[in-house]
Amino acid sequence: MKIQTKITLLFLILSTGILVLLNTFILYFDYQFNYDDFFKRLEARVNLTAETRLFPGERSRAYEEVRNKYLEKLDSETEYIIKADAKGKFDTRQFPAEFTEEIFSQGKSRYKHKNRFLAGKIVAAIPDEYIVIVSARNPYGMRELKELQKIIIVGFTGSLIIAFFVGKVFSYYTFDPIRKLTDRMKVITSDNLHLRLNDWNGKDEISELTQTFNDMLNRLETAFETQNNFVSNASHELRTPLTIINAEVELALTKADLTENQRAIFSTICAETDKLTQILSSLLLLAQSGFNGRKQSWQTIRVDELIWMSVGSVKKIQAQSNIEVDFETLPENEELLQISGNSNLLRLAITNIISNACKYSQNQLVTVKLMVQNKQIGITVTDQGIGIPSSELPYIFEPFFRASNTLNFQGYGVGLPLTLNIIRLHKGTIDISSEVGKGTQILILLPVATA
């Protein structure tokens, strides 16, 4: 999940929490206000009932007139006047015990059960005592509360939708600078290390990230230039003395007065010099293939033709090799067989793999298969050779590493690392599977050239 999406979801969750708390407080206080207001209306009627029913006179008639004229009758409004008996006890069995107990202890009480509201108090009308209770329902208030609930639910849903889109816009603009940096970073490759990210004004984290990345590019460019200089100089400085040594040894071997021992020594020197020259050439190719590719000649290449050239190169070196090429699954569209790259390097990489397959299978059948799928070209090289121990498979692409069962075969351990560098340089991948005694299969995947 992208960080931008996480920020949007986090913003939505926080907004949801805030809205839930806010709506909960609104509902709670509205309920309290609604109930408290209705109880106050009931208590006012309790006082009026006590005045008009227990204290008759001019004053009570005035209260009665005011009540009838200005106070609406509540829904299911009922008045109760309970007189204490001779022992001072009240018959309150028809009312909830919790309600009456609070009246006895506090002198007055409020009680609600579902939509039934009760308010009552003890009134002393000497020499007697009474409990005056008024009961009513509050359908209008409950209806208002239900309407408020609907409004809150609708408002809550709408607010969540708005919060989601606001969070999305907020996260989009928040990560817009990072997105621009990412797009710029994708443009910068080993081919154009001289490019830099655009400087951001300010001292925020984006500016710091930009400066850090530009500093890293400076170091990389310096390292690549140093490597390029080394490769160029090594190519000249190391090859020259080796060529001289080899020429001198060959000249010495032409002399007729050499003893057998001397001739054997010179022959050994000549052979080892040739090996050293081959190792040097492989190392130089390995270094160049892992560099930046700016000096390579890139063109559109047909992979089927590249395979035939590689097979031909192997047969020139290993005339006894047994190679079968399988082109049965070639696509009808020839453009799907084209890749962009350096023909010499790719031919070297494929030749290395086919040559290894022939060498380590001791000229048993080696199958080279070409296939195209999902805009990728696959080249599979399968042999029936000695295989590679599973514990050593992770190391076969390391320079100079050779499997433990290859001691009887000549090699220097630079072919596969060189091949891997070349395939990576062409934005491809290489995969290997092997079993000791049964053989090895190597799969190369390269992207089809874009029009």
Side-chain angles (χ1 to χ4, degrees):
M1 183 183 295
K2 292 185 177 180
I3 297 179
Q4 181 178 332
T5 305
K6 290 182 180 180
I7 293 294
T8 302
L9 293 178
L10 180 60
F11 184 85
L12 182 63
I13 292 171
L14 292 175
S15 300
T16 302
I18 294 172
L19 288 172
V20 167
L21 288 175
L22 179 61
N23 290 329
T24 301
F25 283 133
I26 290 174
L27 278 176
Y28 174 78
F29 288 113
D30 192 74
Y31 268 83
Q32 293 300 316
F33 174 80
N34 190 288
Y35 294 159
D36 187 62
D37 178 69
F38 195 74
F39 275 126
K40 286 181 179 179
R41 294 166 68 185
L42 283 181
E43 288 172 346
R45 283 162 174 76
V46 169
N47 293 330
L48 287 173
T49 298
E51 289 290 339
T52 57
R53 301 282 294 277
L54 300 180
F55 304 98
E58 290 294 331
R59 185 177 178 182
S60 63
R61 285 193 295 272
Y63 280 129
E64 183 69 28
E65 184 179 352
V66 170
R67 177 176 183 174
N68 293 333
K69 188 174 181 179
Y70 296 106
L71 293 182
E72 63 175 334
K73 190 170 182 64
L74 301 176
D75 186 82
S76 301
E77 181 179 339
T78 307
E79 299 174 352
Y80 302 92
I81 298 178
I82 304 171
K83 182 180 179 181
D85 59 16
K87 296 181 180 180
K89 295 184 178 181
F90 299 91
D91 183 9
T92 58
R93 286 175 293 179
Q94 60 179 312
F95 300 102
E98 182 182 347
F99 173 63
T100 56
E101 286 175 3
E102 187 174 353
I103 290 179
F104 295 145
S105 61
Q106 304 293 333
K108 60 181 180 178
S109 178
R110 293 175 172 182
Y111 184 80
K112 174 187 173 297
H113 178 66
K114 295 184 179 179
N115 196 25
R116 185 190 181 198
F117 293 78
L118 295 171
K121 70 174 184 176
I122 296 176
V123 179
I126 299 174
D128 299 314
E129 277 190 334
Y130 299 86
I131 293 180
V132 180
I133 299 174
V134 176
S135 172
R137 295 185 180 276
N138 185 21
Y140 303 108
M142 298 305 294
R143 193 176 301 121
E144 288 177 0
L145 290 174
K146 288 181 180 180
E147 289 296 325
L148 178 62
Q149 289 177 353
K150 292 180 181 178
I151 292 172
I152 286 178
I153 291 173
V154 173
F156 178 75
T157 305
S159 298
L160 286 185
I161 295 174
I162 294 173
F164 173 77
F165 286 104
V166 169
K168 201 166 186 178
V169 172
F170 170 77
S171 61
Y172 176 85
Y173 282 103
T174 299
F175 284 90
D176 188 55
I178 296 178
R179 194 161 36 252
K180 290 179 180 178
L181 288 179
T182 303
D183 293 339
R184 181 66 173 172
M185 290 176 188
K186 290 178 180 178
V187 174
I188 301 174
T189 64
S190 57
D191 298 335
N192 49 21
L193 281 175
H194 62 282
L195 297 179
R196 295 294 181 268
L197 300 181
N198 297 326
D199 291 332
W200 289 80
N201 296 324
K203 297 182 179 179
D204 56 10
E205 288 80 359
I206 301 298
S207 299
E208 185 177 350
L209 176 62
T210 302
Q211 186 59 47
T212 302
F213 192 81
N214 284 337
D215 291 341
M216 182 186 68
L217 287 176
N218 290 334
R219 294 192 296 271
L220 285 175
E221 187 177 22
T222 301
F224 279 133
E225 290 296 336
T226 302
Q227 179 179 339
N228 186 35
N229 292 333
F230 168 77
V231 170
S232 300
N233 293 331
S235 176
H236 174 73
E237 299 295 336
L238 295 180
R239 283 179 182 274
T240 301
L242 284 175
T243 303
I244 295 173
I245 293 173
N246 197 45
E248 292 293 333
V249 171
E250 289 179 352
L251 179 62
L253 286 172
T254 60
K255 294 183 179 181
D257 57 346
L258 292 177
T259 65
E260 289 298 323
N261 186 39
Q262 290 173 332
R263 190 171 298 278
I265 292 174
F266 282 127
S267 297
T268 301
I269 294 174
C270 187
E272 294 303 318
T273 303
D274 287 337
K275 288 183 181 180
L276 187 57
T277 302
Q278 292 177 11
I279 294 174
L280 175 61
S281 299
S282 298
L283 288 176
L284 291 175
L285 283 172
L286 183 62
Q288 288 174 334
S289 67
F291 186 49
N292 57 17
R294 283 184 296 185
K295 295 184 178 181
Q296 307 298 344
S297 175
W298 293 79
Q299 65 268 356
T300 301
I301 310 164
R302 281 192 53 137
V303 179
D304 52 344
E305 296 176 357
L306 189 66
I307 290 176
W308 282 120
M309 287 189 292
S310 300
V311 170
S313 298
V314 173
K315 284 186 174 294
K316 287 181 181 179
I317 302 172
Q318 303 178 42
Q320 302 300 319
S321 59
N322 183 11
I323 304 172
E324 179 183 275
V325 179
D326 182 359
F327 283 173
E328 291 184 1
T329 59
L330 289 185
E332 295 181 0
N333 185 0
E334 294 183 356
E335 292 183 357
L336 295 177
L337 294 173
Q338 296 178 345
I339 60 175
S340 179
N342 181 281
S343 178
N344 292 330
L345 285 179
L346 284 173
R347 184 171 63 178
L348 175 61
I350 297 173
T351 301
N352 278 343
I353 292 177
I354 298 176
S355 176
N356 280 348
C358 294
K359 179 172 64 174
Y360 293 115
S361 63
Q362 296 176 319
N363 296 325
Q364 296 185 68
L365 180 64
V366 173
T367 303
V368 182
K369 185 176 181 181
L370 178 63
M371 55 187 176
V372 179
Q373 187 176 9
N374 297 328
K375 294 185 178 181
Q376 283 191 314
I377 298 175
I379 304 171
T380 304
V381 179
T382 307
D383 66 52
Q384 302 173 23
I386 62 175
I388 304 170
S390 57
S391 60
E392 299 178 8
L393 276 174
Y395 310 105
I396 61 170
F397 292 111
E398 294 183 3
F400 304 110
F401 178 83
R402 303 193 69 209
S404 57
N405 58 348
T406 61
L407 298 178
N408 296 327
F409 298 87
Q410 185 178 2
Y412 307 107
V414 293
L416 283 180
L418 173 60
T419 299
L420 178 63
N421 276 4
I422 293 173
I423 298 303
R424 284 179 174 175
L425 187 66
H426 291 79
K427 300 180 180 178
T429 60
I430 184 169
D431 183 66
I432 185 167
S433 58
S434 184
E435 187 174 349
V436 174
K438 291 188 176 181
T440 301
Q441 183 179 82
I442 294 182
L443 172 63
I444 297 174
L445 292 176
L446 294 168
V448 175
T450 55

